[in-house]
Amino acid sequence: MLHSKNKPCIIDFSKIGSPQLGYISVAEVQKNIPFEIQRVYWAYYTPDSVMRGFHAHHQLEQILIAVSGSITLECEMLNGEKYIFELTHPNEGVYMPAYCWHTMKYSHNSVQLCIANMTYDEADYIRDYSAFISFRE
Ligand code: TYD
């Protein structure tokens, strides 16, 4: 599977199963995850009045999946391109490259799973929007 590492994009995880039995979806390095996995984290019980994110990263690449509920993800790349993703199915995710400014809104029942290529490093965050756009060439 080919990914452009320059822009966010949907990853369609296959569904194994049936309506009668239920489903399994799989994230697997070198099959549908374009990096070595170093960290998995999840966010949950976010009130639907809250918007999270408001940052980008220098090196972090990650895949965000709404394994339950729904998440609206807005992304902006350094070239000014903007993307809006409505994640409503547990078999799809969004790949986010480095230097992707992003915000998320959640349904209260949502569980956001993130699969990342790095362990947590606060120094990798760009939390100031004007600092983010200063990286434009
Ligand atoms: P942050 O990434 O800013 O969350 P969001 O983008 O959802 O608003 O992280 C929120 C807090 O959690 C911040 O204090 C850092 C901490 N945190 C960790 O300690 N380890 C992690 O792996 C993550 C993702 C966050």
Side-chain angles (χ1 to χ4, degrees), residues 39 41 43 52-55 57 102 104 106 112 120 122 125 127:
R39 177 167 52 116
Y41 64 93
R52 299 189 61 139
F54 297 99
H55 60 253
H57 292 273
H102 57 280
M104 294 84 69
Y106 302 86
Q112 169 193 273
Y120 175 74
E122 185 58 37
Y125 279 73
R127 292 194 183 272

Side-chain angles (χ1 to χ4, degrees), residues 81-96:
E81 283 180 0
K82 293 183 179 176
Y83 302 81
I84 300 179
F85 300 98
E86 300 284 352
L87 286 165
T88 54
H89 296 102
N91 64 306
E92 64 188 10
V94 173
Y95 166 75
M96 282 195 283

